[in-house]
């Protein structure tokens, strides 16, 4: 990021007024000290070498394996960011997590580490056992009565699903005035917002993208201190295709 705009000054480098340059899938900007690289694509972990400003380098806590730190700097900070705003340091918080994949599982683990009660919203009850193992409840969105029983009870919902889905039912579970639905999934099709539900309850809908530099360092230290880590399996590159098929 530019490091000088209002957003960067507040620690929101990911929302830089001049536009951020992601480490992967972006184009290197001009005027950042390496104009010979201007216009070239960033390659992330596929790069042979990478030079970064010290502001964008993070200290991995002593004893944390690098294979744990990597996913935390992706799914970890993406979910930690809204949870740190809405949940951390507050008592008696009820967090809803929509989707129980990579992002969803990290959201559950971090919310539990913050002391919150967690309810997972999933398409079916197939993952009830996995949810229980993490100390969370699971409700199937295919069962409207079960979702309806949670009306006006959830403080914050972290929605990780990247496919179009009905968010009206989710909004109905939020507490009035303070309840917030946070969208993390990049869904191309616009959502239909139930205006009257928002008007008559004062609930909020917001988006969130990763986290700033200071918050990312805070997240690493929080996860290390609270023994929060992703479930992972290390494989060789030649096993990648088989692993992708296994995810389906």
């Amino acid at each position: 990021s530019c490091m000088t705009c209002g957003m960067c000054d507040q620690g929101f480098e990911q929302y830089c007024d001049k536009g951020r340059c992601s480490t992967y899938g972006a184009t290197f900007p001009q005027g950042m000290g390496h104009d010979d690289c201007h216009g070239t694509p960033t390659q992330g972990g596929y790069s042979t070498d990478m030079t970064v400003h010290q502001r964008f380098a993070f200290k991995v806590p002593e004893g944390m394996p690098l294979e744990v730190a990597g996913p935390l700097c992706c799914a970890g900070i993406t979910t930690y960011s809204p949870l740190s705003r809405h949940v951390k340091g507050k008592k008696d918080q009820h967090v809803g997590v929509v989707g129980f994949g990579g992002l969803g599982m990290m959201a559950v683990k971090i919310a539990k580490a913050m002391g919150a009660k967690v309810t997972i919203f999933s398409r079916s009850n197939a993952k009830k056992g996995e949810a229980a193992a993490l100390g969370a409840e699971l409700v199937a969105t295919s069962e409207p009565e079960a979702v309806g029983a949670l009306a006006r009870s959830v403080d914050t919902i972290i929605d990780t699903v990247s496919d179009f889905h009905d968010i009206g039912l989710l909004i109905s579970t939020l507490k009035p005035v303070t309840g917030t639905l946070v969208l993390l999934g990049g869904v191309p099709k616009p959502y239909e917002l139930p205006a009257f539900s928002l008007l008559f309850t004062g609930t909020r809908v917001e988006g969130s993208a990763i986290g700033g530099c200071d918050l990312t360092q805070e997240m690493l230290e929080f996860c290390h201190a609270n023994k929060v880590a992703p479930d992972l399996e290390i494989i060789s590159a030649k096993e990648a295709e088989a692993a992708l098929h296994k995810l389906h």
Side-chain angles (χ1 to χ4, degrees):
S1 70
C2 75
M3 301 185 285
T4 59
C5 70
M7 286 291 96
C8 288
D9 282 346
Q10 295 177 66
F12 297 117
E13 291 91 347
Q14 74 272 35
Y15 303 129
C16 177
D17 290 334
K18 297 181 181 179
R20 75 178 194 225
C21 177
S22 299
T23 56
Y24 177 75
T27 301
F28 198 86
Q30 193 168 18
M32 297 300 289
H34 296 277
D35 283 349
D36 54 325
C37 298
H38 170 58
T40 60
T42 57
Q43 302 287 357
Y46 295 102
S47 304
T48 53
D49 299 281
M50 186 181 295
T51 302
V52 298
H53 187 280
Q54 63 185 22
R55 180 168 177 164
F56 305 101
F58 306 106
K59 182 179 179 181
V60 177
E62 186 176 352
M64 176 182 283
L66 290 180
E67 59 266 29
V68 168
L72 288 181
C73 286
C74 185
I77 186 57
T78 300
T79 52
Y80 183 88
S81 184
L83 288 170
S84 69
R85 289 197 302 272
H86 298 296
V87 179
K88 189 181 180 185
K90 298 179 182 178
K91 293 182 179 180
D92 304 320
Q93 293 293 293
H94 185 183
V95 173
V97 175
V98 188
F100 197 31
L103 279 174
M105 187 167 288
M106 286 309 308
V108 171
K109 291 183 176 183
I110 291 172
K112 290 295 295 182
M114 291 178 176
K117 172 186 177 182
V118 178
T119 298
I120 299 164
F121 295 95
S122 191
R123 288 176 296 180
S124 71
N125 289 309
K127 295 182 178 180
K128 262 190 180 294
E130 295 175 55
L134 294 179
E137 298 179 6
L138 185 144
V139 171
T141 53
S142 57
E143 300 175 0
E145 289 185 4
V147 179
L150 295 171
R152 294 187 167 213
S153 70
V154 183
D155 294 285
T156 304
I157 296 177
I158 306 297
D159 190 337
T160 71
V161 176
S162 58
D163 198 12
F164 184 81
H165 56 288
D166 179 18
I167 61 174
L169 194 62
L170 300 171
I171 290 173
S172 70
T173 69
L174 289 170
K175 288 182 179 177
V177 183
T178 57
T180 305
L181 169 64
V182 184
L183 301 176
L184 300 185
V187 180
K189 182 180 178 180
Y191 285 113
E192 293 182 1
L193 281 175
F196 282 109
S197 294
L198 298 175
L199 290 173
F200 294 142
T201 61
T203 49
R204 294 165 286 181
V205 179
E206 67 178 47
S208 186
I210 56 173
C213 295
D214 288 344
L215 194 68
T216 301
Q217 187 65 56
E218 177 187 306
M219 176 276 304
L220 287 169
E221 293 167 2
F222 175 89
C223 289
H224 186 56
N226 290 278
K227 296 181 173 56
V228 174
D231 293 345
L232 54 86
E233 178 184 352
I234 300 175
I235 61 172
S236 64
K238 66 182 181 182
E239 298 174 282
E241 185 176 357
L244 286 172
H245 286 301
K246 195 165 68 173
L247 291 175
H248 295 288

